[in-house]
Amino acid sequence: MINLKYVGIAGSYNRLYTVLHFDRAGLFELIKDVYGCGTVLYPGCSIHITPSFYFQHVVYVDMSETAKEFFQEKQKVLSFINSNKKYKQSAYIQFIHIDYTKQLPLRENNYDLLLSLYAGGIIKSCVKYIKPGGIIVSNNHQNDVQQALEDSSVRLEALIRRKGKKYHIENITAEKMPKALPEHSKPLKSMKNASSGMEYVDNEYYFVFRKTD
């Protein structure tokens, strides 16, 4: 657990994300450019506030004490976000300290984008909060994508992968799907040595679903 007393909001975020190149800023920039999405729900977020640099309204959900301590400094978090955001309005954030598999104090059918990253069971538990026509992005952690494929209320429509320094979106096809899921299940080399130390290598497939009803 990071001690915020000594490293602060910016220090905590930079240590876990910026320094390791684990912020995945380009992913959120692409999602914003392609799908728009005004309101975002991010269960299992930890202190990964990069989405707020691209989306003005984000609700974060996590039951960890690290996240709770981080978001208790709400004004400092907002100040940090507002100094890094890519839009004109002031940022809006809400943090809910709860197990996201439980009922959340949120309206159903209310959010444009659900992020399901590095935590299991998010789509199954939280798809009800997404508007019809809204977007779900998952990296298939703990087989979330397989579960979503069995849900008649969502439709898989695209894949996102990082190639070189940029993320690219591809329309899903019957030919790509049988390859994407098995490849995703293989152990990925996600860290490498760099001149500045260890850094993250994003080899993930990101699966893009649209909620149909």
Side-chain angles (χ1 to χ4, degrees):
M1 182 175 175
I2 293 176
N3 192 324
L4 292 178
K5 179 179 178 181
Y6 296 105
V7 298
I9 296 300
S12 299
Y13 171 85
N14 289 333
R15 181 180 295 183
L16 285 181
Y17 299 105
T18 308
V19 172
L20 298 178
H21 293 184
F22 190 42
D23 57 0
R24 289 148 287 160
L27 172 66
F28 303 112
E29 182 178 24
L30 178 64
I31 295 168
K32 177 66 175 179
D33 289 345
V34 174
Y35 296 107
C37 299
T39 53
V40 181
L41 178 60
Y42 190 1
C45 58
S46 186
I47 65 168
H48 185 214
I49 54 174
T50 315
S52 285
F53 300 164
Y54 296 92
F55 302 98
Q56 186 266 338
H57 182 126
V58 185
V59 176
Y60 296 94
V61 183
D62 201 291
M63 65 181 300
S64 75
E65 290 302 312
T66 297
K68 179 183 178 182
E69 182 182 2
F70 181 85
F71 283 100
Q72 278 179 338
E73 300 283 353
K74 184 175 181 179
Q75 292 307 314
K76 292 180 180 179
V77 173
L78 278 170
S79 177
F80 182 67
I81 290 170
N82 282 321
S83 67
N84 287 279
K85 64 183 175 64
K86 311 301 180 184
Y87 46 86
K88 293 182 179 180
Q89 315 99 304
S90 295
Y92 171 86
I93 62 170
Q94 178 184 357
F95 174 70
I96 304 172
H97 184 232
I98 196 173
D99 178 351
Y100 59 76
T101 65
K102 310 299 183 185
Q103 182 67 34
L104 302 180
L106 299 172
R107 283 196 300 156
E108 296 185 4
N109 301 311
N110 193 50
Y111 295 88
D112 299 318
L113 172 64
L114 174 65
L115 296 175
S116 173
L117 307 173
Y118 294 105
I122 291 176
I123 299 176
K124 181 179 180 180
S125 300
C126 299
V127 66
K128 61 187 176 184
Y129 303 111
I130 303 306
K131 297 175 183 177
I135 296 297
I136 302 159
V137 177
S138 174
N139 68 336
N140 195 34
H141 191 74
Q142 297 184 18
N143 298 318
D144 256 18
V145 166
Q146 283 92 333
Q147 292 180 13
L149 290 171
E150 298 171 2
D151 186 342
S152 61
S153 72
V154 300
R155 181 185 71 246
L156 181 64
E157 65 174 53
L159 290 174
I160 298 175
R161 289 206 82 184
R162 182 170 178 170
K163 297 177 181 178
K165 295 183 178 181
K166 291 190 175 183
Y167 290 83
H168 298 269
I169 193 162
E170 306 172 356
N171 292 328
I172 192 68
T173 66
E175 293 76 23
K176 289 177 182 176
M177 194 62 204
K179 180 182 179 183
L181 279 175
E183 281 200 3
H184 194 283
S185 66
K186 297 177 183 177
L188 297 175
K189 184 180 179 182
S190 59
M191 299 297 292
K192 71 175 183 179
N193 285 308
S195 58
S196 58
M198 296 298 292
E199 67 178 44
Y200 175 73
V201 179
D202 196 348
N203 294 315
E204 299 280 355
Y205 279 98
Y206 295 92
F207 298 82
V208 182
F209 291 86
R210 189 176 295 276
K211 187 175 179 182
T212 56
D213 56 39

